[in-house]
Amino acid sequence: MNRRRAHDDDESYDRQNRKRRKVSENQEIEDRLESLILRVGEKSTSSVESNLEGLVSVLEADLGTFRAKILRILSDCAVKMPEKCTIYTTLVGLLNAKNYKFGGEFVDHMVKSFKESLKFCRWNAARYTLRFLADLVNCHVISASTLLQVLDSMVDVSNEENVPQIRRDWYVFAVLSTLPWVGRDLYEKKESALENLIVRIEVFLNKRTKKHHNALRVWTVDAPHPQEEYLDCLWAQIRKLRADNWAEKHIPRPYLAFDSILCEALQHNLPVITPPPHIDSYEYPMPWVVYRMFDYTDCPDGPNLPGAHSIERFLIEEHLHHIIYSHNLERKDCATQLMSFPYKSKIPLEYCIVEVIFSELFHMPIPRYLEIVYGSILIELCKLQPATLPQVLAQATEILFMRIDSMNTSCFDRFVNWFSYHLSNFKFTWSWDEWDSCLLLDAEHPRPKFIQEVLMKCLRLSYHQRIVEMMPETYSKLIPVLAQPTYKYSSENASNLPGTQVALQLILAIRQKCSPEEVINVLKELPNPNDSADADCVEESFNPLKIDVFVQTLLNLGSKSFSHTFAAISKFHTVFRTLADTEESQICVLHNVFELWRNHQQMMVVIIDKLLKLQIVDCSVVATWIFSKEMTSEFTKMYLWEILHLTIKKMNKHVVKLSTDLTEAKEKLSKEDSSSSEDEDEQPNKIKADNVDKPTEEVNY
């Protein structure tokens, strides 16, 4: 029986209810604060300055209770929303002017975040945090002298020895990319120290090697736009900014409106920050070449495009790249954000966007994201801005086509893939007549080759008759032939071929749903052309006629669709493994696939991919076949290199898996050895049963 009094239960319930209500209220306040901080500076009826004043009043009142939450949100915004850097630094500056202790806590929090980002190779986060700390100098939160000490310590990395150059490059790049925000303030307060920093950077840039430059170029020539290495380009932009007395016209600086308040605030000193030493496992951002497609002469109407060496060009491009980085998974959101660029009235936005997207697509050695990401974003942009963007995109396509003679082969392939995909989404409409001049060139010239490859890719996205209808008659020689199998055992001369009769028997057997064993029995009737007088060699040699009849007949019967082909290969997988058990026999299989499907490139790609997945042919065999004399005529066709790339990817995955398995096995062996030695020390006379299953060194190999 419960002897507790009723009012005791009521008091307990009330306490729990009050506690629950308080937690709920606190959560609501935290959510409201987070929403207010995240949305500050966005579109509203009032100005950014008035929004900041209101937000400062709200945050100041809640600092006592929600200090940790506010610190976390502001530090996250500094890294995840770098485009609003100056808005948040102004907010922190105003809070620091009212609450010096909070300003110090925030600076300590950001310094800790910066160190962690460097330690854990979060390079973008580290660079955005450094930028934020630098902009706090403009808001009188951090002293200029201590910021210069931090920048100097980062430039010190450029003098390190026995470290990768990309490590030294990144630290210098981080400092250079920060200077546009704080350069003017440092110039006014610490001119000699700033000049010393610039000289040290210049010394490093003059002696660094750029062996990677040629491998990362999109074009083999520099006309009409030089292809500058990224650090060289940024250095030229910083030099021009310095010549202009560090005055730029792109970065919004809302803290200027609060200068009378901020200048009276006490400043904090940054601690000594020593970059973590290099570790072999660190991975640094790779270098790149700055892509240029347009200049001011390509944008006749509206505002001028900033010059290639103006700091504004760097700032605009960096902002657009970050938008793609933040929204690449949602093409509609990405397109909307790109078209909502905050300073679009000052620049030819469509030209800037198209140039940045193609720079991402042509990024060497590989794009940051799947190629289709950029194609889908461009499609959404054309839908959002149908009056202007399609014309700019057509102009860009024309520029690329006219310069295709000197285009990197990998970029050529990506251009083909993008253009065919784009055409398929706009009813395959294009002004082909403007490219008629390419018909007078050799078939292997890049321009007619480009059109031919585009049509081959369009064929994958449509059907043959549609391709014929969309092209002018003058382009007939570039139109791909009808994609049909060439089955030699049904040709006019089939009766003279040695395997015709068995091929007919095999067709009948497969249509009657025979088993793999029955197929092998049918093929037994075929003689071996490789037979020799030496009986010992007979057993070792494969029978090319068996492979010829089996592969061509089976794939021809499954030629109705990819699914039919896959089903046929899977059902008779054991027959393939029996016939193709050597390198020569596997090459023979690939030869027959090519002989049957040479007019259907996509079918060849998917069949070989299937053969690799089922381990019917080895990756090394595919590479050997691709570089054989038989395939010489196909070397300049994209599909062959597509096959090679997918083969290399499969081999890489296999090697990674084996390496992982080997590492795990070694770790397991090491643990077993250590546990065994401990057991022997404690109980030298006892034999543990677990030792029976202990892995040996041979297991790893």
Side-chain angles (χ1 to χ4, degrees):
M1 181 176 178
N2 188 356
R3 296 182 178 274
R4 288 191 302 169
R5 289 174 297 181
H7 69 85
D8 289 340
D9 292 340
D10 292 342
E11 288 178 1
S12 175
Y13 175 79
D14 288 341
R15 283 197 301 271
Q16 292 177 4
N17 204 26
R18 282 197 301 270
K19 185 177 180 180
R20 191 180 297 114
R21 192 182 306 118
K22 186 176 181 180
V23 171
S24 177
E25 289 174 356
N26 286 348
Q27 186 62 47
E28 288 180 6
I29 295 172
E30 287 183 359
D31 292 344
R32 182 173 63 86
L33 288 175
E34 184 169 5
S35 177
L36 287 172
I37 294 172
L38 291 177
R39 289 187 293 125
V40 66
E42 295 181 1
K43 290 181 179 180
S44 66
T45 53
S46 55
S47 65
V48 174
E49 289 76 14
S50 60
N51 282 343
L52 285 170
E53 287 178 332
L55 182 56
V56 167
S57 300
V58 173
L59 295 181
E60 185 187 10
D62 290 324
L63 277 180
T65 309
F66 302 102
R67 182 181 299 266
K69 178 75 173 180
I70 294 170
L71 278 172
R72 184 188 63 78
I73 296 172
L74 285 174
S75 60
D76 284 349
C77 289
V79 172
K80 297 177 181 177
M81 305 174 74
E83 68 278 3
K84 294 167 67 174
C85 170
T86 55
I87 294 175
Y88 289 116
T89 52
T90 305
L91 178 60
V92 173
L94 293 172
L95 287 171
N96 178 66
K98 292 179 178 292
N99 191 322
Y100 179 75
K101 182 181 178 182
F102 173 80
E105 290 176 352
F106 179 79
V107 171
D108 291 342
H109 190 79
M110 291 299 291
V111 168
K112 181 182 177 182
S113 174
F114 179 58
K115 290 180 177 179
E116 288 180 351
S117 296
L118 291 177
K119 182 179 179 180
F120 295 107
C121 300
R122 296 193 291 261
W123 305 115
N124 278 339
R127 195 161 62 87
Y128 294 145
T129 305
L130 180 65
R131 176 192 299 177
F132 199 89
L133 291 171
D135 203 47
L136 287 177
V137 172
N138 298 318
C139 301
H140 302 274
V141 177
I142 292 174
S143 63
S145 58
T146 56
L147 174 70
L148 277 166
Q149 289 175 4
V150 172
L151 298 180
D152 273 322
S153 70
M154 294 191 68
V155 175
D156 286 342
V157 175
S158 66
N159 296 321
E160 291 179 354
E161 296 181 355
N162 302 319
V163 298
Q165 181 175 301
I166 50 176
R167 169 180 167 84
R168 299 194 292 264
D169 286 355
W170 183 85
Y171 276 91
V172 170
F173 175 73
V175 172
L176 284 176
S177 62
T178 299
L179 289 178
W181 272 261
V182 72
R184 180 67 185 180
D185 207 60
L186 295 179
Y187 171 68
E188 293 174 350
K189 297 176 181 177
K190 302 286 180 180
E191 182 179 0
S192 60
L194 176 61
E195 282 301 311
N196 181 56
L197 181 74
I198 293 295
V199 169
R200 293 182 63 202
I201 292 174
E202 185 173 19
V203 170
F204 165 73
L205 293 176
N206 288 336
K207 69 181 182 181
R208 69 188 283 262
T209 61
K210 291 176 283 187
K211 296 178 181 178
H212 55 271
H213 188 193
N214 287 335
L216 302 179
R217 291 163 62 105
V218 176
W219 318 100
T220 57
V221 297
D222 278 333
H225 305 296
Q227 295 169 82
E228 295 178 288
E229 205 263 352
Y230 78 111
L231 263 182
D232 287 348
C233 183
L234 179 55
W235 173 240
Q237 292 163 334
I238 291 294
R239 285 170 56 192
K240 185 177 186 306
L241 179 62
R242 182 175 62 166
D244 295 337
N245 294 325
W246 301 95
E248 51 73 41
K249 304 174 184 177
H250 183 75
I251 300 173
R253 301 184 186 271
Y255 40 75
L256 295 177
F258 301 100
D259 189 58
S260 59
I261 299 172
L262 297 176
C263 68
E264 295 179 358
L266 296 175
Q267 294 181 322
H268 304 270
N269 292 327
L270 288 172
V272 175
I273 300 176
T274 304
H278 171 67
I279 299 175
D280 289 341
S281 60
Y282 279 5
E283 293 185 4
Y284 301 92
M286 299 302 290
W288 68 92
V289 169
V290 178
Y291 179 80
R292 291 279 182 261
M293 180 184 290
F294 302 119
D295 56 34
Y296 69 94
T297 60
D298 296 308
C299 318
D301 302 323
N304 290 330
L305 184 70
H309 286 163
S310 68
I311 199 63
E312 287 77 18
R313 189 75 167 263
F314 169 78
L315 298 173
I316 292 165
E317 289 170 353
E318 186 185 43
H319 193 162
L320 292 174
H321 280 295
H322 182 73
I323 291 174
I324 295 173
Y325 167 78
S326 302
H327 302 279
N328 68 87
L329 296 177
E330 295 291 341
R331 66 186 191 281
K332 291 181 182 292
D333 290 346
C334 188
T336 302
Q337 291 295 325
L338 288 170
M339 292 309 304
S340 302
F341 191 74
Y343 318 109
K344 55 186 177 183
S345 61
K346 300 179 181 179
I347 59 171
L349 181 60
E350 290 85 355
Y351 286 91
C352 292
I353 290 174
V354 169
E355 185 175 70
V356 164
I357 290 178
F358 275 114
S359 75
E360 290 256 359
L361 178 62
F362 294 147
H363 181 78
M364 295 294 291
I366 57 173
R368 284 200 294 177
Y369 313 110
L370 294 174
E371 291 178 30
I372 199 170
V373 168
Y374 307 109
S376 60
I377 292 172
L378 285 170
I379 289 169
E380 293 302 325
L381 287 167
C382 289
K383 293 177 181 177
L384 277 179
Q385 203 72 17
T388 55
L389 207 134
Q391 286 80 356
V392 175
L393 196 53
Q395 185 177 344
T397 306
E398 186 70 26
I399 290 172
L400 290 171
F401 182 74
M402 299 311 293
R403 296 189 62 190
I404 206 168
D405 303 20
S406 58
M407 182 179 277
N408 181 295
T409 305
S410 294
C411 298
F412 178 98
D413 293 352
R414 295 177 211 170
F415 184 27
V416 167
N417 291 336
W418 166 75
F419 190 53
S420 56
Y421 171 72
H422 191 78
L423 288 176
S424 71
N425 281 273
F426 290 94
K427 301 180 181 180
F428 296 97
T429 303
W430 186 252
S431 51
W432 297 103
D433 293 338
E434 295 180 4
W435 290 354
D436 279 353
S437 59
C438 75
L439 299 174
L440 304 175
L441 302 172
D442 183 84
E444 292 299 318
H445 189 279
R447 292 184 191 179
K449 195 71 181 174
F450 170 77
I451 296 175
Q452 198 169 28
E453 292 291 351
V454 165
L455 296 180
M456 287 300 303
K457 284 298 173 76
C458 287
L459 190 59
R460 298 189 186 188
L461 303 168
S462 184
Y463 54 94
H464 189 266
Q465 187 57 35
R466 181 73 180 85
I467 305 301
V468 173
E469 291 172 356
M470 82 180 196
M471 298 301 295
E473 292 184 6
T474 51
Y475 284 80
S476 58
K477 65 179 183 179
L478 300 181
I479 296 175
V481 298
L482 190 62
Q484 291 180 333
T486 308
Y487 183 53
K488 64 182 179 181
Y489 294 112
S490 63
S491 63
E492 294 180 1
N493 300 324
S495 57
N496 299 326
L497 298 176
T500 302
Q501 292 303 317
V502 176
L504 295 175
Q505 294 175 31
L506 188 58
I507 292 172
L508 185 61
I510 293 175
R511 284 178 174 168
Q512 291 176 350
K513 303 187 184 302
C514 67
S515 65
E517 291 75 16
E518 290 172 324
V519 167
I520 293 175
N521 288 331
V522 172
L523 295 174
K524 278 183 178 179
E525 300 179 18
L526 291 169
N528 190 345
N530 289 342
D531 280 355
S532 64
D534 189 350
D536 293 335
C537 296
V538 175
E539 295 181 1
E540 297 179 2
S541 62
F542 73 97
N543 190 330
L545 188 55
K546 281 186 180 181
I547 295 175
D548 191 305
V549 171
F550 170 69
V551 172
Q552 293 231 7
T553 302
L554 181 69
L555 295 183
N556 184 59
L557 288 173
S559 62
K560 187 175 181 180
S561 68
F562 294 144
S563 299
H564 286 76
T565 299
F566 292 164
I569 294 173
S570 298
K571 181 177 180 180
F572 296 101
H573 172 250
T574 54
V575 181
F576 276 103
R577 296 298 295 269
T578 301
L579 296 176
D581 57 348
T582 64
E583 181 177 339
E584 292 80 5
S585 58
Q586 292 176 18
I587 290 176
C588 186
V589 170
L590 296 173
H591 165 76
N592 280 282
V593 172
F594 173 68
E595 196 173 48
L596 180 74
W597 280 119
R598 67 187 310 154
N599 292 331
H600 197 329
Q601 296 179 358
Q602 188 181 13
M603 183 64 86
M604 272 195 285
V605 173
V606 297
I607 288 176
I608 292 174
D609 184 47
K610 186 69 173 178
L611 295 177
L612 285 168
K613 285 179 180 177
L614 295 177
Q615 297 182 345
I616 292 170
V617 297
D618 298 331
C619 294
S620 58
V621 170
V622 175
T624 302
W625 168 72
I626 285 174
F627 291 106
S628 64
K629 288 184 178 180
E630 174 197 5
M631 302 304 294
T632 304
S633 61
E634 307 294 299
F635 275 2
T636 58
K637 296 180 181 178
M638 280 177 58
Y639 84 94
L640 198 66
W641 303 99
E642 184 180 354
I643 293 172
L644 183 62
H645 286 165
L646 70 87
T647 303
I648 292 172
K649 286 179 182 177
K650 281 190 176 1
M651 194 65 204
N652 283 342
K653 286 182 180 178
H654 184 57
V655 170
V656 169
K657 182 180 182 301
L658 291 179
S659 300
T660 304
D661 292 344
L662 176 61
T663 303
E664 291 175 353
K666 284 184 175 180
E667 289 175 355
K668 185 178 179 182
L669 178 62
S670 177
K671 288 178 182 178
E672 290 290 344
D673 286 340
S674 61
S675 63
S676 297
S677 61
E678 289 175 4
D679 291 335
E680 288 172 4
D681 291 340
E682 294 174 5
Q683 302 175 0
N685 298 322
K686 182 179 178 182
I687 300 175
K688 292 181 64 72
D690 292 343
N691 287 344
V692 176
D693 299 326
K694 188 182 82 170
T696 63
E697 189 69 26
E698 287 77 13
V699 171
N700 297 335
Y701 303 99

